[in-house]
Amino acid sequence: MTRLTGSALRVTVFVGENDTWHHKPLYSEIVHRAHAAGLAGASVFRGIEGFGASSLIHTSRLLSLSEDLPVAIVVVDTEDRVRAFLPQLDELVTEGLVILDDCEVIRYVGRDADADSDETDTKGKSSL
């Protein structure tokens, strides 16, 4: 398990829900590659409305013709590990937006999840 203390780098990738990589959802390929690369974590968030470079508004409203909703994939790890992962994103993301942000990481866990860790304080909080 990767442990982070303090500063980290967050990469957020914005793509369309219908974007694919070899007939699989692009967001799923990014998450699986991040996992295979041993990165600390990745999550996918589905937007309810948005637009990008095409200026076409995509929305989840009932009467809308657009169903290609925006998706954000967020990956967090050390700067070195995230930057080492960027070439894979270059390969996968042909249309979209990739943002890098410095961030500070704090992980809150249940007592059972970290029972054997000596890094857990009395409230069940530990660093990633």
Side-chain angles (χ1 to χ4, degrees):
M1 175 188 297
T2 303
R3 295 222 177 260
L4 300 176
T5 52
S7 63
L9 193 63
R10 173 179 54 201
V11 60
T12 305
V13 182
F14 294 96
V15 295
E17 182 178 33
N18 293 338
D19 292 348
T20 60
W21 177 261
H22 295 217
H23 309 290
K24 290 177 18 182
L26 177 57
Y27 60 83
S28 181
E29 181 68 18
I30 292 170
V31 168
H32 287 168
R33 286 196 187 193
H35 184 260
L39 296 176
S43 296
V44 178
F45 301 94
R46 184 178 190 227
I48 58 171
E49 189 167 46
F51 71 93
S54 71
S55 293
L56 177 64
I57 293 180
H58 302 273
T59 180
S60 63
R61 285 183 287 194
L62 233 97
L63 298 176
S64 171
L65 297 176
S66 174
E67 294 182 7
D68 187 20
L69 295 173
V71 174
I73 306 101
V74 178
V75 180
V76 177
D77 207 318
T78 63
E79 181 173 357
D80 291 343
R81 293 172 66 88
V82 168
R83 291 199 183 277
F85 184 67
L86 291 179
Q88 291 196 58
L89 291 179
D90 287 341
E91 175 188 355
L92 294 170
V93 181
T94 57
E95 290 183 26
L97 178 65
V98 178
I99 297 174
L100 297 173
D101 298 296
D102 292 323
C103 62
E104 186 173 347
V105 175
I106 300 172
R107 186 180 104 193
Y108 296 92
V109 297
R111 293 174 198 219
D112 294 339
D114 236 12
D116 297 328
S117 174
D118 55 286
E119 294 184 37
T120 305
D121 70 14
T122 58
K123 296 179 185 171
K125 183 173 68 172
S126 66
S127 298
L128 235 185

